[in-house]
Amino acid sequence: MEHLPYRPCAGFMLINADGLVFVGERIDPSAHGYWQMPQGGIDPGEDIAAAALRELEEETGIAASLVEVLAQTAAPLRYDLPPELLGKVWKGRYRGQEQHWLLGRFLGEEHHIDLTAHEHAEFRSYRWIEPHRLPEVIIPFKRRVYEALLEEFAPLLG
């Protein structure tokens, strides 16, 4: 595992006017019952912010024009895949992800959210939750990343 690289990734923590965070329930059967924020791979040569906004739009249907970007993590956050997923996810090319995160405010309305906007939907449903609940709903091997995000973005989350 140590010889494998981390997959470059960008994620988006989206908060609404009430200070609640968007989470989607994964369609992937291996992650059934877990919720996460929009995130995905960074294409070669792609800007981090552009990748995060692209992933947000692909997974939620929310256009970048409906988001006010507030912050970006100072450094990437990493997680390793658990042994049972190593070699199965991402065709076995990565040991985990190195994630860059943006925080932004949702300026739209609920009807702007469309989980089927992209050909390959990621989420079966969504909800808005209190930020402190994020570590409770994420798949356990990503929990440390969500805790670090809450700590870094705390001054902006109220």
Side-chain angles (χ1 to χ4, degrees):
M1 179 167 118
E2 293 77 26
H3 70 281
L4 292 173
Y6 286 94
R7 178 178 182 245
C9 177
F12 208 99
M13 179 186 280
L14 186 68
I15 56 174
N16 66 15
D18 296 323
L20 301 176
V21 179
F22 176 98
V23 290
E25 183 183 17
R26 296 284 314 252
I27 288 176
D28 177 7
S30 67
H32 182 71
Y34 291 110
W35 300 73
Q36 72 176 41
M37 295 180 287
Q39 55 110 86
I42 300 173
D43 295 333
E46 188 176 24
D47 175 76
I48 291 168
L53 287 164
R54 175 183 52 76
E55 287 294 334
L56 177 68
E57 185 165 5
E58 286 178 2
E59 296 183 7
T60 68
I62 298 171
S65 61
L66 296 174
V67 175
E68 174 190 6
V69 175
L70 303 173
Q72 181 177 326
T73 49
L77 302 170
R78 290 181 172 175
Y79 72 82
D80 290 330
L81 289 169
E84 64 271 15
L85 293 179
L86 196 60
K88 297 177 184 172
V89 179
W90 308 305
K91 300 178 183 172
R93 296 183 309 181
Y94 302 103
R95 66 188 287 180
Q97 291 197 88
E98 180 173 87
Q99 300 182 319
H100 301 266
W101 285 88
L102 270 66
L103 170 67
R105 186 172 318 284
F106 181 45
L107 305 175
E109 299 177 15
E110 293 297 310
H111 71 268
H112 291 116
I113 300 171
D114 179 4
L115 301 182
T116 62
H118 189 258
E119 183 180 344
H120 302 289
E122 296 275 337
F123 301 131
R124 71 176 75 244
S125 61
Y126 76 92
R127 61 185 177 182
W128 297 93
I129 66 170
E130 297 84 6
H132 73 272
R133 293 202 49 235
L134 285 169
E136 298 169 20
V137 301
I138 188 65
I139 199 161
F141 63 87
K142 295 181 182 181
R143 189 167 291 142
R144 191 176 52 78
V145 167
Y146 277 33
E147 291 168 345
L149 280 174
L150 287 173
E151 185 176 326
E152 185 166 349
F153 290 154
L156 299 168
L157 294 174

